[in-house]
């Protein structure tokens, strides 16, 4: 859920939202996501490593790997939008 604003970072940066509570909610969620997603990505990587070492099922590892891949993609989109003003 925290990756959603990063995927929408182009729209947040270039589309004019109406002022009000919706703008405050989306903008704040985006600011929190910029900090939270890398931290959650590191935590997810640790969970994947622990799951592999403990011999967890393939489904568990795949689920966590999917979550990590989504976070990496969201960060890539965010960094790409940020670098192109």
């Amino acid at each position: 859920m925290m990756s959603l604003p990063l995927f929408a970072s182009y729209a947040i940066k270039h589309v004019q939202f109406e002022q009000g509570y919706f703008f405050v909610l989306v903008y704040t969620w985006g600011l929190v996501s910029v900090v939270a997603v890398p931290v959650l990505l590191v935590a997810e990587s640790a969970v994947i490593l622990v799951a592999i070492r403990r011999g967890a099922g393939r489904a568990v590892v795949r689920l966590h790997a999917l979550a990590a891949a989504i976070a990496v993609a969201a960060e890539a989109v965010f960094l790409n939008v940020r670098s192109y003003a």
Side-chain angles (χ1 to χ4, degrees):
M1 290 299 291
M2 289 304 294
S3 298
L4 289 176
L6 298 183
F7 280 120
S9 58
Y10 180 83
I12 291 172
K13 186 174 183 178
H14 295 290
V15 175
Q16 189 69 24
F17 287 106
E18 291 190 31
Q19 302 300 321
Y21 292 118
F22 181 71
F23 175 77
V24 171
L25 175 71
V26 170
Y27 194 76
T28 304
W29 188 15
L31 288 177
V32 171
S33 293
V34 168
V35 175
V37 169
V39 172
L40 293 173
L41 181 59
V42 169
E44 192 68 43
S45 300
V47 168
I48 291 170
L49 291 176
V50 169
I52 290 172
R53 285 189 178 178
R54 290 189 179 175
R58 294 178 88 178
V60 173
V61 175
R62 284 183 184 170
L63 182 66
H64 288 290
L66 176 64
I70 291 171
V72 167
E75 279 294 319
V77 168
F78 168 74
L79 292 174
N80 192 21
V81 168
R82 187 176 130 196
S83 66
Y84 295 108

